[in-house]
Amino acid sequence: MIVDGYAPSQMIEDLRKYQAELEIQNKALRYSQQEAEGASERFATLFSNVPLALMVVDEEGLVLASNAMALRLFQPLESDAPLNFLLPFVGQDHTDEVAVAFSSAKQEGTSEVHEVAFLAGSRGQFTGDLHIARIENPLDELAHFICAIIDQGPLLAERQALQESAAVLRQRNEELLLSENRMAAIINSSLDAILCIDERQCITVFNPASTALFECPADQAFGARLGRFLPDVERALDSGRVPAQAMLGEFTATTLLGKQIHVDISVSIERRLRSRAPLRTLPSEGATAPSTEALEHGTVTTIFARDLTAKKLAEAQRTALETQLRESQKMQAMGTMAGGIAHDFNNILSAILGNVELAKQDTASDAPARISLQEIDKAGRRARDLVRQILTFSRNEPPKRSPIQLAELIHETVQLVRVALPPAVDLQVNTPGPIASVLADATQVEQALLNLCTNGILAIGQNRGTVSIELGQTDVTLPFSDHLGVPAGPYVTVRVQDTGGGMSEATMQRIFEPFFTTRQVGQGTGLGLSVVHGIMQTHQGGIDVQSTVGVGSVFTLYFPATQQIPQVAPEAEAAPEVQGSGRHVMYVDDDQALVFLVTRVLTRKGFTVTAFTDPHAALAALKTQASMYDLLVTDYNMPGFSGVELLREAKALRGDLPVALASGYVTPEIEQAALQEGANALIYKPNDVNELCETVQRLMTSPDAHH
């Protein structure tokens, strides 16, 4: 077939000549570089503009280059498959024939295949002639070919398609003219600022949202450079590295009044017809639209700017809530771990304190060993208090709270603090009245205040300074209530301030972690502030910390206020002397030291004790003769067979047998499960031997009493 008087074989021959010319010029590059570049450009121009579908293909069928005509034939729509390999675009009936032609062209240099059915994406298919010519490729082992494809479709069909396309184009032009006003209305009603600029970066469109965002009337914006409002965006566009459609992200903008604001920018760059006539303003709006006179080509850049003020505020609030959630999850995980560790400590401390008490009973009051036993007892009780601090941090159950006045509690705490107060530290107290009551556990609140005061004293160190405690009340409102993690409402505050060295931001992020401390060895366990945090959590309150390095720290505790009136506690009656009178107690615990201790303690008080370290053996004894026991005391956590399971089996054998569960880590879930199974009491470990004996006797005299 002859295209415009230009035979395909002749065209291929011409291409070969150009290639040969390029190869010769390449060898002579050191003498004529400029000529070689010109030849390469002519080759590229010819390849791109020749009215044939041309492709450069390697022997594996990979399309290395294709001109516009080839793309129009094989990929008429962007959604069609890309022209990456040639063979997938060849009909099944001609695949082998085309493959043989490529093999022949590799050997012979040229090859032709006529009337090949090609696939053309959404267009369907067409029939064409394929001309293949091998080209030199010194840089690659794979052979390269130039392929020319001549479409054999009827010319009349093409003319008809062109006529139909012209009719559609005319209709679209009419629709475009009709949609101009509609588009202008959309721009004017957009909530985002929309600006259009020309090649000189001058503003041609400035919608009402732009007027509000940049605080500038539209008539003052027209003709002004983009840099007047968005200098960073103007520099980015001048660099030429911005793609046609791009989300540029966050930028700082400047309003007409000079105020700095944050905006999110996206751009669209396009070449389009523009008017050489002056711009006209749409009626009653600030945007502009081009007239239809004297149109010429030009570049139009549309800029979309979204105000990020509300988003910034929301992000800040979300970040604060996420930080609070992470801290809460971290504290919960640390609390679970601490509770498990405390359980093992309890067994050890119970054995130590119990044996010390027995040793003191067996030792004369004037014996030299008496002093050592008292020191062991003191150390053991301090260790017990430390374990209780761990449990205070780890337990999530609500404390046993009652209405109290914090002023009285503060003065009682101050008396304890003054005993160990260094001479250089001044302790100041301010408890104005009247102050609302709070629902609180007095012992826990006293522990929190002691920890905060001790922390402040250690922060001052050897220097002269002041620790102050101030009582007050306030109404907590949003957003500060979210920061504290408490509901809005009235709160009683306790403010503990010191003039120590203060804390850095990094230290403040970790101060509530258990065992984290900045003190020297021997000056702290790292549990003080974590215990305070746990106490405030169980009291449904919050804690706020403010600190400046070199100035000091302020800890403010927020307790929910209550209208309930504090009750005067009755005086406790003296506990009666424990007399076992031969009553039989079964004691079950997997810790051998505790079994040995409890057996000795209860035996001395007149009880008969049968002890087991294996719960299965204890159950077997109950099955043999359950009636011989007056009380069952079992540990909750035992490997292989828990105390609740033993309780359930014991109640099934003898429903009236009093049963007590002992544990150093009692959660609301554990307590609820034990009571549902019929437990008569819960014994918290570690306890001293007298308390244990009193509990056992009380359960025998009144099995329904809980402890």
Side-chain angles (χ1 to χ4, degrees):
M1 176 179 177
I2 306 301
V3 179
D4 295 338
Y6 204 3
S9 58
Q10 182 63 38
M11 286 185 289
I12 293 175
E13 185 64 24
D14 287 348
L15 289 175
R16 281 183 169 178
K17 289 180 181 181
Y18 276 115
Q19 182 186 6
E21 180 183 351
L22 288 175
E23 293 174 352
I24 294 172
Q25 291 174 353
N26 186 50
K27 293 178 181 179
L29 182 61
R30 61 180 178 272
Y31 303 105
S32 182
Q33 181 67 30
Q34 183 176 2
E35 184 63 24
E37 292 175 353
S40 177
E41 183 177 355
R42 289 194 296 275
F43 177 83
T45 302
L46 177 62
F47 181 85
S48 301
N49 298 312
V50 68
L52 281 176
L54 295 180
M55 292 177 287
V56 176
V57 183
D58 67 14
E59 63 179 281
E60 293 182 351
L62 176 65
V63 178
L64 303 175
S66 57
N67 66 358
M69 180 65 77
L71 291 176
R72 283 197 295 271
L73 284 176
F74 291 98
Q75 191 184 0
L77 296 179
E78 291 184 1
S79 58
D80 292 333
L83 185 59
N84 294 331
F85 288 86
L86 179 59
L87 288 181
F89 289 86
V90 178
Q92 267 188 333
D93 296 336
H94 298 87
T95 302
D96 294 338
E97 187 178 1
V98 170
V100 171
F102 271 100
S103 178
S104 176
K106 182 177 181 180
Q107 302 295 329
E108 305 293 336
T110 62
S111 181
E112 295 182 0
V113 185
H114 298 284
E115 297 184 0
V116 178
F118 292 96
L119 304 179
S122 58
R123 176 184 168 188
Q125 67 178 29
F126 68 95
T127 302
D129 295 341
L130 174 63
H131 299 266
I132 308 172
R134 192 187 67 208
I135 58 178
E136 294 298 327
N137 180 31
L139 299 179
D140 196 341
E141 295 180 357
L142 296 177
H144 288 185
F145 306 90
I146 185 165
C147 301
I149 299 174
I150 303 173
D151 187 6
Q152 299 292 342
L155 297 177
L156 290 177
E158 293 183 5
R159 290 196 189 98
Q160 182 179 359
L162 289 174
Q163 291 173 354
E164 292 176 354
S165 298
V168 171
L169 182 60
R170 285 193 298 270
Q171 181 180 357
R172 288 182 178 176
N173 285 336
E174 293 174 359
E175 292 175 352
L176 181 61
L177 293 174
L178 292 175
S179 66
E180 260 193 17
N181 290 335
R182 188 189 320 158
M183 181 60 67
I186 293 174
I187 292 175
N188 290 334
S189 60
S190 172
L191 297 178
D192 293 336
I194 300 177
L195 303 84
C196 291
I197 57 173
D198 56 22
E199 310 85 33
R200 297 177 293 109
Q201 306 283 34
C202 293
I203 297 174
T204 59
V205 172
F206 201 76
N207 72 340
S210 301
T211 298
L213 179 62
F214 298 108
E215 300 175 342
C216 178
D219 56 354
Q220 295 186 33
F222 292 145
R225 291 186 62 84
L226 178 64
R228 174 64 185 84
F229 305 105
L230 296 164
D232 294 337
V233 177
E234 181 177 0
R235 283 191 289 271
L237 293 173
D238 285 338
S239 68
R241 294 191 294 268
V242 177
Q245 305 288 333
M247 299 286 294
L248 298 186
E250 184 177 333
F251 284 83
T252 300
T254 305
T255 67
L256 184 65
L257 302 178
K259 183 174 69 175
Q260 299 290 316
I261 57 175
H262 294 279
V263 292
D264 190 43
I265 298 295
S266 58
V267 298
S268 173
I269 304 174
E270 59 179 333
R271 292 189 60 82
R272 56 184 294 186
L273 294 177
R274 67 167 189 190
S275 175
R276 289 196 301 266
L279 294 171
R280 58 184 175 84
T281 302
L282 292 178
S284 71
E285 298 290 353
T288 62
S291 68
T292 56
E293 302 175 2
L295 295 175
E296 63 179 11
H297 288 284
T299 300
V300 175
T301 302
T302 304
I303 300 167
F304 303 87
R306 176 166 296 180
D307 188 6
L308 294 180
T309 302
K311 181 181 178 182
K312 285 281 186 182
L313 180 60
E315 287 179 350
Q317 294 177 344
R318 184 174 67 251
T319 301
L321 291 175
E322 288 175 351
T323 301
Q324 182 178 342
L325 176 61
R326 285 194 299 270
E327 288 300 317
S328 176
Q329 291 172 339
K330 179 171 64 176
M331 299 301 287
Q332 183 178 5
M334 294 297 292
T336 301
M337 180 190 71
I341 296 173
H343 171 264
D344 294 335
F345 281 167
N346 275 332
N347 288 341
I348 299 171
L349 291 174
S350 294
I352 294 173
L353 292 173
N355 281 288
V356 167
E357 182 65 27
L358 293 180
K360 288 166 62 178
Q361 294 176 10
D362 296 337
T363 306
S365 59
D366 57 348
R370 188 81 175 185
I371 299 176
S372 299
L373 292 174
Q374 289 175 348
E375 290 301 316
I376 295 173
D377 186 69
K378 290 180 183 178
R381 292 182 184 277
R382 285 199 299 270
R384 183 178 65 179
D385 292 339
L386 180 60
V387 172
R388 286 177 177 173
Q389 289 187 20
I390 297 175
L391 292 176
T392 299
F393 165 76
S394 64
R395 290 173 182 160
N396 293 320
E397 71 270 20
K400 297 179 180 178
R401 298 183 293 167
S402 59
I404 62 173
Q405 280 286 334
L406 289 182
E408 300 176 4
L409 192 61
I410 289 174
H411 287 292
E412 293 176 2
T413 305
V414 167
Q415 294 178 5
L416 297 176
V417 174
R418 291 191 186 278
V419 173
L421 189 67
V425 178
D426 181 25
L427 182 61
Q428 300 178 356
V429 181
N430 182 18
T431 56
I435 297 294
S437 301
V438 298
L439 286 174
D441 184 313
T443 302
Q444 288 194 2
V445 176
E446 182 177 342
Q447 180 68 62
L449 294 178
L450 281 172
N451 289 354
L452 290 179
C453 292
T454 302
N455 194 67
I457 293 171
L458 291 175
I460 295 173
Q462 301 299 322
N463 302 320
R464 182 172 297 278
T466 302
V467 174
S468 61
I469 306 175
E470 183 177 355
L471 181 65
Q473 58 186 15
T474 185
D475 287 328
V476 176
T477 59
L478 290 171
F480 187 61
S481 60
D482 288 340
H483 167 71
L484 290 176
V486 299
Y491 285 80
V492 175
T493 62
V494 180
R495 188 170 181 266
V496 180
Q497 181 175 4
D498 66 74
T499 58
M503 296 177 289
S504 65
E505 186 66 29
T507 300
M508 290 179 63
Q509 295 295 327
R510 301 188 59 191
I511 57 176
F512 295 121
E513 294 182 11
F515 308 109
F516 172 76
T517 179
T518 59
R519 310 295 178 203
Q520 297 179 0
V521 177
Q523 289 191 354
T525 62
L527 284 172
L529 291 180
S530 62
V531 168
V532 174
H533 182 276
I535 290 172
M536 296 310 298
Q537 289 289 318
T538 57
H539 282 74
Q540 301 175 0
I543 179 170
D544 179 57
V545 184
Q546 303 292 330
S547 186
T548 304
V549 176
V551 177
S553 305
V554 180
F555 291 82
T556 306
L557 307 181
Y558 290 82
F559 294 91
T562 181
Q563 300 297 324
Q564 299 183 35
I565 301 174
Q567 302 293 326
V568 178
E571 294 184 4
E573 298 180 359
E577 180 69 21
V578 176
Q579 296 293 335
S581 302
R583 292 180 178 178
H584 201 163
V585 178
M586 175 185 284
Y587 185 78
V588 186
D589 197 305
D590 61 312
D591 192 298
Q592 180 65 48
L594 280 180
V595 169
F596 180 71
L597 168 67
V598 173
T599 300
R600 294 176 62 202
V601 169
L602 294 180
T603 301
R604 287 194 179 192
K605 295 295 184 180
F607 294 96
T608 300
V609 182
T610 302
F612 296 90
T613 57
D614 183 0
H616 296 283
L619 179 58
L622 285 172
K623 289 181 178 179
T624 301
Q625 196 171 3
S627 60
M628 67 180 291
Y629 300 103
D630 298 304
L631 174 67
L632 168 62
V633 180
T634 176
D635 186 28
Y636 176 81
N637 293 301
M638 291 183 292
F641 200 72
S642 72
V644 173
E645 292 176 298
L646 181 58
L647 163 66
R648 187 183 303 117
E649 296 289 346
K651 287 292 185 179
L653 293 171
R654 180 182 161 193
D656 63 340
L657 177 64
V659 181
L661 280 176
S663 177
Y665 184 58
V666 180
T667 65
E669 292 78 12
I670 293 176
E671 184 175 5
Q672 185 66 24
L675 295 178
Q676 286 180 351
E677 295 294 341
N680 299 88
L682 291 173
I683 300 176
Y684 293 85
K685 297 188 296 184
N687 49 10
D688 55 40
V689 294
N690 292 326
E691 181 182 352
L692 174 64
C693 294
E694 292 169 5
T695 302
V696 170
Q697 179 163 304
R698 182 169 59 253
L699 287 174
M700 288 187 173
T701 57
S702 179
D704 295 331
H706 294 278
H707 177 63

